[in-house]
Amino acid sequence: MVNFIIDGKKVEAKEGATVLQVARNNGIVIPTLCCHESVAPSGACRLCVVEVKKGKRTRIVTSCLYPVDEGLVVETKTERVMNVRRLVMQLLMARCPESDVLKAMAKEMGIEPQPAFHPETDKGKCVLCRLCVKACEDVVGVSAIGLSGRGKDKKVGPPFVEDSKACIGCGACAYICPTEHIVMEATDGKRKIWGRSFKMQACEKCGRYFAPVDQLKYISQKTGTSLKELAVCVSCK
Amino acid sequence: MKTAKNKQKSVKSIIKKYDGDKTAMIAILQDVQEEFRYLPKEALSSISKQMEVPLTRIYEIATFYNAFSLKPRGRNLVEVCAGTACHVQGAANLMDRIERDLKICCGETTKDKKFTLEEVRCLGCCSLAPVARISGNIHPNLTQDQIPKVLANYK
C-alpha cells in the first residue's frame, strides 16, 4: 500500500494502481475517451492529464498510465491541467467536428470549437485511440483491423481497405469505439460492418438472431464446443 | 513475368533467409520489395500466413514507411529531391519538367512501366542541389535542359 495526496485529500492505494483508477475510486471525475477496463491503457486521447508533483518537480502526465507512488502529490483540476485539457479537447473537436460524444464532453467542460483549428471533413469520428485495434487483437484475438498510413493519412480499418477475411463480425470494435466512428448495421438475419455483410445465426429455440455465423465458428474452433451447442442463444440455454 | 508459383517460392526463400524471425519484418519486406519492385498483396498475405503475423500488422508497416510501395513501380525509380537546398535551387521546376516529359504525375508510373516518379525529402547531398536519383544513381546540379538526355539513358 502507498500513501499519497490527490486534490488535497490523503488517500491510500494499492501499489501498481494508476492515478486514474485511484482518482475514480475516490469520486474524482477525470474525462477520458480511450480508457476501457478490458484493454490495457495507452494514453492515446490525452484527456486524462493531471499534474503530478514528485519531490521538487511538477509535471503534466496522463493519469491512465502513471502509477501511484509514496508521497506523490496529484492535482486534477489546476489551471495548468485545465489548459492542457482544453487544448486537447479543441484539437479533438477540430479532428472530429461531427462527433456527438465529443460535443457533449466539450459542452460539459465549457469548451467552444476554435476557429484557429480548422475542422477536418474526412476523418469521420475517429480519434485514432486504437481501442478497437487492441480489442480486436487482445480481447477477440483475430486482428482483423489495424491502423494504416501515417500522419494526416492515418486511419483505422481492415488491410487494403477491403473485406477482411479475418473479421468474424463480432462487433467488439463498434462496441468499444468511444466516439461511435465504427458503425454496425443490423437488419434481420444480416449484420454489416467494415463494408462486409455477415450472416446471422438464428437461435434454434427462440428464433432470435443472436450472433454472426462466422463468430460462432471461431468460438467453436477456439473452445472445441460443437457448433450445434452454440446455435442456441444465451437466454435459451 | 514471374508466375504466381515462382512468387510464392521467392517469398518463402526470403522468409527462410531470416529464419522466420518476426522482428525482421521490415528487412523481409525490403527484400520482397527488391524482388518485385513493390509489395504485392499476395506476397503480404503469404508472409502473414507463413510467419503467423496478422495481415493488419504487416499492412501497418507497409503503409507507414515511404520506402514501401503497394502499387507496382516501374523499372527505374526517379526520385526528385525536394529538400530545402534543392527546393531553393528550383527542384519544383525539375519535377515539372520530368512530369511533362514522362507524361505522369508525381507518384505515378509510366504506361510502359519504365519509370516511376516520386518526390523525396532529402538525399543527403545538399551541396549538389538540385539533385535527382534515378535507379540509385545521383544526378547532381540538374537543369531542366539536361532532363531529356538523362532520362534517355534509362529508356
Side-chain angles (χ1 to χ4, degrees):
Chain A
M1 289 305 236
V2 287
N3 293 295
F4 70 105
I5 297 166
I6 185 161
D7 279 355
K9 200 169 115 186
K10 269 193 191 148
V11 290
E12 200 184 49
K14 240 198 238 154
E15 219 163 313
T18 64
V19 171
L20 180 67
Q21 285 167 347
V22 181
R24 288 198 167 159
N25 287 345
N26 284 283
I28 294 165
V29 179
I30 296 174
T32 56
L33 278 175
C34 72
C35 183
H36 196 278
E37 72 266 17
S38 53
V39 172
S42 65
C45 73
R46 318 305 291 179
L47 275 174
C48 67
V49 286
V50 293
E51 203 173 355
V52 165
K53 192 172 179 190
K54 202 175 182 183
K56 277 182 191 164
R57 208 162 149 232
T58 317
R59 52 192 191 127
I60 296 277
V61 297
T62 45
S63 62
C64 67
L65 288 174
Y66 203 87
V68 293
D69 201 2
E70 189 71 41
L72 207 65
V73 181
V74 183
E75 292 288 345
T76 70
K77 303 233 162 20
T78 57
E79 197 47 36
R80 191 176 166 205
V81 170
M82 291 318 277
N83 274 338
V84 176
R85 217 176 270 170
R86 265 194 290 268
L87 178 69
V88 169
M89 197 67 210
Q90 283 159 359
L91 290 169
L92 286 173
M93 275 164 81
R95 185 186 161 85
C96 312
E98 286 156 34
S99 170
D100 294 328
V101 177
L102 285 180
K103 272 186 209 161
M105 264 180 126
K107 203 175 167 193
E108 209 169 288
M109 289 161 74
I111 295 162
E112 295 278 309
Q114 292 295 304
F117 305 135
H118 192 72
E120 297 274 4
T121 52
D122 59 338
K123 303 284 188 281
K125 296 173 185 169
C126 182
V127 292
L128 291 178
C129 67
R130 235 171 186 272
L131 259 188
C132 53
V133 176
K134 280 192 290 182
C136 194
E137 186 176 334
D138 301 340
V139 182
V140 185
V142 296
S143 279
I145 53 169
L147 294 174
S148 64
R150 174 170 58 156
K152 66 179 173 49
D153 299 320
K154 196 169 206 163
K155 63 173 182 233
V156 68
F160 298 104
V161 203
E162 59 176 22
D163 297 0
S164 171
K165 288 185 196 84
C167 185
I168 55 170
C170 67
C173 50
Y175 170 77
I176 208 163
C177 180
T179 52
E180 296 163 358
H181 171 71
I182 303 167
V183 193
M184 187 166 75
E185 281 169 40
T187 43
D188 246 9
K190 283 253 164 70
R191 169 187 282 183
K192 214 174 155 194
I193 189 163
W194 293 116
R196 191 177 147 194
S197 205
F198 288 90
K199 205 176 141 220
M200 298 291 281
Q201 172 77 44
C203 173
E204 281 183 348
K205 284 189 183 154
C206 66
R208 186 170 67 92
Y209 290 110
F210 69 100
V213 178
D214 281 3
Q215 185 182 2
L216 296 179
K217 273 186 196 154
Y218 176 74
I219 295 172
S220 160
Q221 198 190 348
K222 263 227 149 149
T223 59
T225 324
S226 71
L227 269 175
K228 201 151 178 70
E229 228 172 292
L230 289 168
V232 182
C233 77
V234 187
S235 32
C236 291
K237 251 170 201 161
Chain B
M1 272 320 261
K2 277 200 158 79
T3 57
K5 219 174 192 176
N6 273 340
K7 269 188 186 175
Q8 281 286 347
K9 227 181 184 172
S10 41
V11 169
K12 217 173 213 171
S13 65
I14 289 168
I15 295 173
K16 208 175 161 195
K17 192 173 135 195
Y18 293 94
D19 286 332
D21 182 7
K22 286 174 192 174
T23 56
M25 185 57 79
I26 292 175
I28 290 171
L29 292 182
Q30 276 174 325
D31 283 10
V32 171
Q33 166 132 326
E34 193 139 307
E35 183 84 27
F36 304 113
R37 295 205 298 267
Y38 79 111
L39 297 175
K41 198 167 34 175
E42 311 84 66
L44 297 190
S45 309
S46 81
I47 293 172
S48 156
K49 232 173 257 155
Q50 287 174 47
M51 296 180 64
E52 290 171 5
V53 175
L55 185 59
T56 42
R57 179 60 47 80
I58 300 172
Y59 186 70
E60 200 171 327
I61 299 168
T63 53
F64 184 87
Y65 294 101
N66 264 342
F68 294 129
S69 171
L70 291 169
K71 277 190 288 180
R73 272 173 167 165
R75 197 146 35 88
N76 297 298
L77 179 62
V78 183
E79 292 161 297
V80 179
C81 182
T84 311
C86 292
H87 174 76
V88 171
Q89 295 280 3
N93 295 334
L94 280 187
M95 184 55 121
D96 259 8
R97 178 68 192 243
I98 299 176
E99 282 184 336
R100 262 183 284 141
D101 281 11
L102 294 176
K103 298 192 180 70
I104 49 170
C105 286
C106 179
E108 289 178 352
T109 303
T110 51
K111 269 207 187 111
D112 57 9
K113 300 267 180 287
K114 276 187 183 156
F115 292 101
T116 294
L117 180 59
E118 269 172 21
E119 185 186 86
V120 289
R121 274 306 138 186
C122 186
L123 292 171
C125 48
C126 303
S127 59
L128 307 175
V131 300
R133 185 166 63 184
I134 307 178
S135 285
N137 304 319
I138 296 280
H139 293 268
N141 304 316
L142 266 183
T143 59
Q144 285 197 50
D145 299 343
Q146 294 167 2
I147 288 195
K149 216 172 153 192
V150 170
L151 288 179
N153 284 336
Y154 292 92
K155 268 182 184 155

